[in-house]
Amino acid sequence: HYTSPKELFLSDQVVLKGTLQRLMAPEPPPSSLKDMWTSYAAVQTFFLLAALLVAIPFSRLFPNFTTQTALHIRQTPFKCALIGAICFCLIPLVSLLALFTMIGIPLSCIFITAYGLMLYMSKFFVGATLGFALLRQQKTPSWGRVFIAMTLGLLLIYAVTALPGIGIPVWLIVTFLGMGALAVSLAGLEGPKENSNVWKKQESNSPTQEGNA
């Protein structure tokens, strides 16, 4: 008896006493759908924890910048998505064109690095925006509230992007919104002064609304 995926052909010089029988190799059991989703959930959990490890020091060092960028998404989502889509397509093209010139190689490296950071960090600000909406934040948030909101938002983003069929479209929307809001904040393109701080506006209006009630 022998086990092989192919038939064994003996040479004419081999003398065989008895019969030669080939046994088929047992096929490995197919992975179940449950095991596949368990593995995928473990991978998504790993990436979520890795994102939180980056989000913790960033939101701690730049809480006002994080909040302001999230407010851009809340106030002008279509503007942020449009600017983000332009950055998503234009920065790689500019980096590629600069790479073909000797003098533009350092600039291309800077653009590629900035592009990678913007891609990765875009979900932080969208997550903070979603978290503020879930928490129904009405006042200027502390760092703890910012981190809690970002954690809830990132958890929701990773859960939705893991779903088949809608994962990639949702990821693109999150990326466009986050990149656009980040570009607006870095460029200092704030809206009108009366709309530049939603938290202060809501805080100033809340006593009036209570008095009218």
Side-chain angles (χ1 to χ4, degrees), residues 15-205:
V15 178
L16 179 64
K17 295 181 179 180
T19 59
L20 185 64
Q21 183 178 3
R22 180 168 70 97
L23 301 177
M24 299 298 296
E27 297 183 358
S31 58
S32 63
L33 186 62
K34 181 180 178 180
D35 294 337
M36 183 183 67
W37 274 106
T38 302
S39 301
Y40 190 68
V43 173
Q44 288 292 95
T45 303
F46 171 79
F47 285 121
L48 173 61
L49 294 177
L52 290 176
L53 287 178
V54 180
I56 289 174
F58 182 85
S59 60
R60 182 62 176 173
L61 292 174
F62 310 103
N64 294 332
F65 180 84
T66 302
T67 304
Q68 187 63 40
T69 306
L71 285 177
H72 284 308
I73 300 176
R74 180 175 178 175
Q75 295 175 2
T76 55
F78 295 105
K79 174 184 175 182
C80 291
L82 178 60
I83 295 177
I86 295 174
C87 293
F88 184 83
C89 300
L90 189 60
I91 294 179
L93 180 61
V94 173
S95 302
L96 183 62
L97 293 177
L99 194 62
F100 288 105
T101 63
M102 292 295 296
I103 197 173
I105 292 179
L107 184 62
S108 176
C109 294
I110 293 175
F111 280 164
I112 292 175
T113 303
Y115 184 74
L117 290 174
M118 293 178 72
L119 273 179
Y120 188 76
M121 296 175 61
S122 60
K123 55 180 172 286
F124 294 169
F125 310 110
V126 179
T129 305
L130 293 174
F132 288 146
L134 292 175
L135 296 175
R136 297 183 178 180
Q137 185 70 34
Q138 297 297 329
K139 297 181 180 180
T140 304
S142 62
W143 173 78
R145 298 285 289 183
V146 172
F147 177 69
I148 293 174
M150 189 178 295
T151 302
L152 291 176
L154 286 175
L155 182 61
L156 181 61
I157 289 173
Y158 274 93
V160 175
T161 52
L163 298 177
I166 64 173
I168 294 179
V170 171
W171 178 83
L172 286 175
I173 294 174
V174 170
T175 302
F176 291 166
L177 286 172
M179 288 187 72
L182 182 57
V184 169
S185 294
L186 291 175
L189 300 177
E190 298 183 359
K193 293 183 178 180
E194 61 271 15
N195 294 329
S196 61
N197 197 327
V198 172
W199 311 121
K200 291 182 180 180
K201 184 177 179 181
Q202 290 178 344
E203 289 175 355
S204 61
N205 290 340

